[in-house]
Amino acid sequence: MSDKNKDDATLPLNLKKIAHTENGVQRSVAALHTTWKDERCFTKYTAFLVNGEEPVGDALLEQWANETEWFIKDMKHLLNLEYHKFWSTIVHNATALESVVSFMQNALPFYLVPVLKALDNERVLPLYTAAHAHVFRVICRLTTVRESGTCWMEPEFYGKLVYKHFIVTVPFLFDLISVYSRDNDAQIARILDTVLQLQPKYIQDLKHGLSYLLNAFNIIQTRCESELADATVSEATLNDLTLYAQDCSSVLVQLVTVSPTLRTICAELGVEFALSNFYDNVLIVLYRNIHEVNRQSHYLAALNDMRVELLETFRSVLSVQLEKIMDGSGDSLLAADRFIGILTECLANSVFVGDYKSLYDIEDDLAIVQVGYQSVDQVKYDFIQKAYARERPKQPAAPAASAEQQERDESPANDGASLSEEEQRVEQNVRYIMELLPDLAVEQVRKVVRAYDNVEQAVSVLLEQDHAASGPSGVPSSGGDQPHIPADPLDEFYLRTGIDRLNIYDGDEFDVMVNDKVKGIIKKGKGMPGQPRTLTELLDDKSHVQQMRHFYRKYDLIAEQEPDDDDEYDDSFEAMAESESRHVKVAKGARNALADAVDAESSEEEQESEEEQSEQGANRNGAMAFCENPELARKRYEERLNSKYLRRHGSAAAGPSPKEADVRGKPKGQGQDAKVLLNRRHKNEHKATSGNHNRKQGASYKRNRGMLPS
């Protein structure tokens, strides 16, 4: 081989060119080109439903086995391709990458792989294992920059290539972690670190992916709150929610486990509270419901495993803040405040806090926080220290003392320095109780005080004569004359599931701490429901009008009857009509009868005509009518205008005759006079000089007289 060919062989893939002869013409073609792609149509992987409960038919298994054999052959063919043909096929043959992605999307997660061993078909497990291994080899080749001295590409070019052609995506990485991370932690970590170093854009994409994963946690919690609210929820629904929760939580757990970079990203996004909230509101709720439906369900063990994994993940993400404090970087104070703020925020989830402090000792973490930065808020520090402090095991009750020892204890000479600190505390409590209950025996009080650390509980036991029953440890005391009271089965269930009883009304239908919807009225904000909330509503209160309406309607039913009137029905009907008119008029804000009377007296131009008097004679109560007759109002208005004109000019107004101001003219097609055309032109040119645009005045005029404005 010549020196030039040797140099070309050592060039990276993006710079290498290979000689190609086509139709007798030889030319140099880039190593990464569509010419070198494999034209094979690669098989997609298809999966069958496996959930550990429903059996899979033999025909379906045989079909799956045949298709998987072809899929394995395609993966082997892809692995045997030369370096430049392999990458040309991945980039320019869409079916090759789709085949690999199809297995990632349809492969079984790690927690369902053992189900394959329970199937009757002997071909299933070996074929799935072979497909699983060959796809992983293809992924390793896709994420390797340098295979040998002659098969490699520049890192910058590789980062742009896999990102531009969507060879490696965030869903691809999530599926990779879900399928392979349990058995190949080191290699998965290497793949993630390589991809993130060569293409920093994946960091921002992973942040969006993690945000979507946290949104999936909220979706699962919403489904639990909505679907589990029904008491008749089926076991299949519970199992489906458990698989959904297990799938999402396993991805997040493995992301934090295999990659320190992703652990830091999780700390930046604040997934700690999401983990604790998911722990309390999803895992615990699912465990409780499945336990009530089927105590032998294997999903209970899966939920317990998820609880441990989420606690470890929370611990791992929280330790990011401790590492910042120990590094002594500029944001150490911010990390210390962030550490205490996370623990404070998670106190809302009591079950999570109880399990976390029983699994981890937080005293060392708080010591690092205090030593790393002295100016941390001491009040918050003390509060967190007390909230997450481990419960110390209670010391067993001391054996009954002998008679001589009791006599020495009762004698005042032996009180003081000769007793230990514990004995001094016991004797102090005994003296305190003897002052309250002097009729009891000293040895009886001392026995109860030693069995119960709390003085109030000891007094309660003494008053109820319950000291012969089971003590705090659940073991019956020596006194056998009292019947043994068994433990509450609910307490045993709460102890097993980690759920604390919220109060003595736990489970009651009116308990707002447990039930989202309770009977009765829950007051929110100012005022009670139905009452005014603001000052404007209070001043505009019309409730008294509605309350007194029926009272005044009684007076409307009383009609004035004349002795000579024979038609009593007409009078009663007229009275009812007048009553309804009055009510409508008051409701509409119209003027009442007194205002109409004042208007009639003060108007200097009002001269009622004979027609108006006859109309008033016909309607004896015209002032109480719904509205004034528009014809009478227009007629009275015209007369008032004529009277004003007479007083000013001494003669009646003489407008233009219809003939002089004719603008209508003859029908169309018969010709028009010159006078008509001139009138039309004059009207068109001067129509804005005396306009009738004061609509507000006209509307007010009609409204004041009870008419509806147009």
Side-chain angles (χ1 to χ4, degrees), residues 320-336 368 371-373:
V320 174
Q321 311 300 333
L322 296 178
E323 294 174 0
K324 292 181 180 179
I325 296 173
M326 289 186 292
D327 291 343
S329 57
D331 58 346
S332 58
L333 177 59
L334 181 62
I368 294 174
V371 172
Y373 207 87

Side-chain angles (χ1 to χ4, degrees), residues 33-271:
H33 193 267
T34 184
T35 305
W36 310 113
K37 73 176 181 179
D38 195 310
E39 299 292 345
R40 187 188 188 104
C41 183
F42 291 85
T43 307
K44 291 185 179 180
Y45 176 80
T46 57
F48 52 87
L49 179 63
V50 175
N51 56 6
E53 297 177 0
E54 299 180 3
V56 183
D58 295 336
L60 184 61
L61 289 177
E62 289 297 329
Q63 180 183 358
W64 175 86
N66 296 330
E67 293 178 355
T68 306
E69 288 178 353
W70 283 104
F71 176 79
I72 295 174
K73 291 179 182 179
D74 289 344
M75 292 297 103
K76 289 181 179 179
H77 177 77
L78 189 61
L79 288 171
N80 292 330
L81 292 176
E82 298 180 20
Y83 188 72
H84 69 283
K85 291 185 178 180
F86 172 81
W87 279 103
S88 298
T89 303
I90 292 294
V91 173
H92 299 289
N93 190 351
T95 61
L97 188 60
E98 290 176 359
S99 179
V100 178
V101 173
S102 65
F103 181 84
M104 303 291 294
Q105 294 176 346
N106 297 318
L108 294 178
F110 64 90
Y111 48 83
L112 290 180
V113 174
V115 180
L116 296 177
K117 301 178 181 179
L119 297 176
D120 297 335
N121 198 318
E122 297 179 355
R123 300 176 58 192
V124 173
L125 185 59
L127 285 175
Y128 180 81
T129 305
H132 187 273
H134 283 88
V135 171
F136 187 68
R137 293 191 186 99
V138 174
I139 294 173
C140 291
R141 192 174 187 185
L142 285 172
T143 54
T144 301
V145 181
R146 178 183 291 271
E147 292 185 4
S148 64
T150 58
C151 300
W152 65 287
M153 65 179 72
E154 294 179 349
E156 295 182 0
F157 177 78
Y158 172 81
K160 295 179 181 179
L161 179 68
V162 296
Y163 191 83
K164 177 182 178 181
H165 294 278
F166 300 98
I167 298 174
V168 178
T169 59
V170 172
F172 182 88
L173 295 176
F174 282 6
D175 293 335
L176 177 67
I177 289 173
S178 177
V179 177
Y180 291 101
S181 61
R182 289 285 177 167
D183 302 326
N184 306 277
D185 288 346
Q187 295 180 354
I188 297 298
R190 193 268 310 169
I191 291 174
L192 287 175
D193 293 340
T194 301
V195 171
L196 294 179
Q197 289 177 3
L198 298 179
Q199 183 52 266
K201 293 182 179 180
Y202 281 113
I203 296 178
Q204 188 65 28
D205 294 345
L206 283 170
K207 290 182 179 180
H208 291 295
L210 288 172
S211 300
Y212 177 81
L213 189 60
L214 296 179
N215 188 30
F217 282 0
N218 296 331
I219 294 174
I220 298 173
Q221 182 176 346
T222 304
R223 285 190 58 185
C224 289
E225 293 175 354
S226 60
E227 297 182 11
L228 301 185
D230 189 6
T232 60
V233 61
S234 62
E235 185 178 0
T237 302
L238 296 173
N239 297 340
D240 179 62
L241 288 173
T242 304
L243 287 175
Y244 191 7
Q246 190 173 11
D247 187 47
C248 295
S249 62
S250 62
V251 173
L252 182 59
V253 168
Q254 294 304 313
L255 279 173
V256 175
T257 303
V258 300
S259 176
T261 304
L262 292 176
R263 184 165 63 96
T264 306
I265 294 176
C266 291
E268 294 176 358
L269 294 178
V271 303

Side-chain angles (χ1 to χ4, degrees), residues 622-668:
M624 299 304 296
F626 177 74
C627 66
E628 189 177 5
N629 189 357
E631 296 180 357
L632 299 178
R634 286 194 295 269
K635 186 175 182 180
R636 185 171 61 253
Y637 182 70
E638 293 176 358
E639 292 178 353
R640 187 180 301 114
L641 291 179
N642 292 332
S643 62
K644 287 183 179 180
Y645 194 86
L646 287 173
R647 287 197 300 270
R648 293 178 182 177
H649 303 283
S651 62
S657 62
K659 186 176 181 180
E660 295 178 357
D662 184 17
V663 293
R664 177 175 297 182
K666 299 177 182 179
K668 186 176 181 181

Side-chain angles (χ1 to χ4, degrees), residues 421-625:
E421 182 179 355
E422 181 67 21
E423 291 294 332
Q424 290 180 5
R425 185 186 63 81
V426 171
E427 291 301 323
Q428 182 179 1
N429 293 337
V430 169
R431 287 194 298 268
Y432 176 74
I433 294 176
M434 290 301 298
E435 292 178 359
L436 297 176
L437 306 172
D439 56 329
L440 298 179
V442 178
E443 56 274 9
Q444 179 184 2
V445 176
R446 186 177 288 107
K447 183 188 298 184
V448 175
V449 170
R450 285 175 176 173
Y452 298 89
D453 293 338
N454 193 352
V455 178
E456 289 79 3
Q457 190 175 4
V459 172
S460 177
V461 171
L462 289 170
L463 291 176
E464 297 178 1
Q465 295 298 318
D466 197 21
H467 59 278
S470 59
S473 61
V475 180
S477 59
S478 59
D481 53 344
Q482 297 291 337
H484 172 65
I485 301 177
D488 188 359
L490 287 178
D491 293 337
E492 181 182 357
F493 171 76
Y494 293 147
L495 180 63
R496 183 170 59 256
T497 59
I499 302 176
D500 296 333
R501 297 195 66 164
L502 301 177
N503 48 47
I504 61 174
Y505 303 105
D506 191 9
D508 190 81
E509 60 179 354
F510 297 101
D511 186 9
V512 296
M513 300 293 291
V514 177
N515 301 321
D516 295 335
K517 296 181 180 180
V518 297
K519 297 181 179 180
I521 298 175
I522 299 178
K523 181 177 178 297
K524 294 181 181 180
K526 298 181 179 180
M528 293 295 292
Q531 293 185 354
R533 296 185 177 182
T534 61
L535 180 61
T536 304
E537 294 183 3
L538 180 63
L539 296 178
D540 197 30
D541 186 13
K542 299 295 190 302
S543 59
H544 63 283
V545 177
Q546 301 294 335
Q547 295 174 1
M548 300 301 295
R549 185 181 297 276
H550 69 283
F551 180 76
Y552 284 100
R553 281 182 177 176
K554 297 179 181 179
Y555 295 97
D556 297 337
L557 297 177
I558 303 175
E560 181 181 358
Q561 298 186 5
E562 299 178 1
D564 298 335
D565 193 358
D566 296 333
D567 196 356
E568 58 182 0
Y569 297 102
D570 294 342
D571 293 341
S572 61
F573 179 78
E574 184 179 357
M576 291 176 65
E578 293 175 358
S579 172
E580 290 296 328
S581 300
R582 182 164 60 254
H583 283 301
V584 173
K585 196 167 184 178
V586 171
K588 294 293 183 177
R591 295 198 312 176
N592 52 17
L594 181 59
D596 290 341
V598 171
D599 272 349
E601 294 178 359
S602 60
S603 178
E604 59 180 1
E605 302 145 349
E606 179 144 326
Q607 297 291 335
E608 295 185 357
S609 62
E610 297 179 358
E611 296 178 0
E612 289 179 338
Q613 293 179 359
S614 61
E615 183 67 23
Q616 288 182 358
N619 187 2
R620 295 177 300 173
N621 199 3
M624 299 304 296

